[in-house]
Amino acid sequence: MVTIGKCSEALPTLKKNLSHIVDKQLRYRAEMATVRCAMALDDEETAVEALLRLKRESPDDPEALYISAHYFSELGIRASQQLEARASSSFQARKLQAESFESQGRNDEAAAIYHKILEDDPKTPGIHYRLGQIELAKAGDSGSTVEAKKEFQLETEVDPLNASAHFILGELARRANEWDEAILQFSRASKLDVGFSEAYLALGMSFAGSGKFADAVSPLEIYVKMQPDDPAGHYQLAMAYSRVGNKEGAARELALQNKVAKNGQSATDTTQGHSVHP
């Protein structure tokens, strides 16, 4: 193992020879040493490259995961400190401070910063979205979501490409059984971000809720391909198939729902068993 005091000498050698190391364990140790030395020497680019290789080559290794969590967190802290030191008055620095307040549950302080950012520039993207999240937190499970809805609508005016804002507007509409609005917003979210799997599920459920079962099939089929281990997707697709007369498809999806549900329970039982009997 390379000691930190020797890193200035060792890092160039490690970087030069890493690609030639074939032995898996030796390469693993070399990657670990590269990460530690690069961080010690503030060579962030080399550290990130080594961390990504560790993630790719040793995805389930506990030490590699620990090192990744530790150093990526450290890199995040360094970046935030640099932002504060070099651009403390920027909206990005103030937004980061507000997000920190949010994480601490200090929503009123966060909201005050967000509102000040909007006073300076009403077109700043992402700020109405954060305010909408704060309003949702205030509303809880039973409060009014009127103010939250206003903020998310304003966000889509500032940034029409914000798929998450469209999704939340869709979800608020779906909960109110406003099916046409829900379908509109979920459709926009899925088109803006084709990898947004939850938008396809919600879109299919909204079509089904409005009685348009034939329209529900396609987004639900997309969802189960993207998330094959989610029993809810298979169940919703089974119900849609059933309502359009596809009995074979419905039976297949119900069988898949039961299978993945049992697999999920088995994994939970196994994990619990391991926790009891280390």
Side-chain angles (χ1 to χ4, degrees):
M1 181 65 65
V2 178
T3 60
I4 297 300
K6 298 289 186 179
C7 278
S8 59
E9 302 170 13
L11 187 57
T13 302
L14 286 166
K15 292 170 65 175
K16 180 179 179 180
N17 295 319
L18 257 172
S19 61
H20 304 296
I21 299 175
V22 177
D23 182 81
K24 187 174 182 179
Q25 285 302 315
L26 183 59
R27 181 178 176 84
Y28 171 83
R29 291 196 295 271
E31 293 282 20
M32 284 290 192
T34 299
V35 171
R36 292 189 174 97
C37 281
M39 290 297 292
L41 297 173
D42 291 329
D43 186 346
E44 295 178 357
E45 182 177 350
T46 297
V48 170
E49 289 173 352
L51 285 168
L52 292 175
R53 285 195 300 270
L54 274 171
K55 183 178 180 181
R56 182 175 65 250
E57 297 169 5
S58 305
D60 300 319
D61 180 73
E63 183 64 15
L65 292 171
Y66 170 79
I67 290 294
S68 295
H70 178 74
Y71 283 130
F72 276 126
S73 177
E74 175 65 22
L75 288 168
I77 292 171
R78 290 185 187 185
S80 65
Q81 291 171 340
Q82 291 168 358
L83 178 60
E84 178 62 27
R86 299 174 185 176
S88 60
S89 61
S90 66
F91 88 83
Q92 292 91 344
R94 289 182 289 161
K95 183 182 178 184
L96 189 63
Q97 181 186 20
E99 290 172 355
S100 176
F101 282 144
E102 278 191 81
S103 69
Q104 300 170 43
R106 298 161 64 180
N107 286 341
D108 289 341
E109 293 167 87
I113 295 174
Y114 290 138
H115 283 298
K116 184 63 174 67
I117 292 173
L118 289 173
E119 286 178 18
D120 295 341
D121 184 359
K123 298 298 184 180
T124 305
I127 305 304
H128 284 296
Y129 182 86
R130 298 310 317 167
L131 286 168
Q133 293 284 13
I134 289 174
E135 291 296 336
L136 282 181
K138 287 181 182 178
D141 294 330
S142 57
S144 172
T145 59
V146 172
E147 292 304 316
K149 184 177 179 180
K150 287 180 182 178
E151 294 294 345
F152 291 117
Q153 287 173 331
L154 286 169
E155 183 61 38
T156 61
E157 293 172 14
V158 172
D159 181 10
L161 302 182
N162 190 321
S164 295
H166 285 292
F167 178 85
I168 294 177
L169 286 170
E171 185 61 20
L172 293 175
R174 188 179 71 83
R175 293 177 185 177
N177 294 330
E178 297 171 357
W179 301 118
D180 289 343
E181 177 65 13
I183 289 167
L184 174 65
Q185 297 296 344
F186 288 136
S187 295
R188 287 175 177 170
S190 65
K191 290 175 182 176
L192 289 170
D193 182 356
V194 295
F196 199 162
S197 61
E198 292 87 350
Y200 293 103
L201 175 63
L203 178 59
M205 292 173 65
S206 297
F207 274 128
S210 66
K212 299 176 181 178
F213 296 102
D215 292 326
V217 169
S218 179
L220 290 172
E221 287 178 335
I222 294 172
Y223 180 76
V224 297
K225 289 179 181 177
M226 297 175 74
Q227 300 291 342
D229 294 328
D230 182 9
H234 293 292
Y235 175 79
Q236 293 294 332
L237 183 54
M239 295 301 99
Y241 277 152
S242 177
R243 296 301 293 268
V244 297
N246 185 346
K247 295 181 180 179
E248 181 180 344
R252 182 182 66 250
E253 291 301 320
L254 284 176
L256 286 170
Q257 180 211 3
N258 290 328
K259 180 181 178 180
V260 297
K262 288 178 180 178
N263 288 343
Q265 184 60 48
S266 296
T268 300
D269 292 342
T270 300
T271 302
Q272 292 173 343
H274 285 166
S275 65
V276 175
H277 304 289

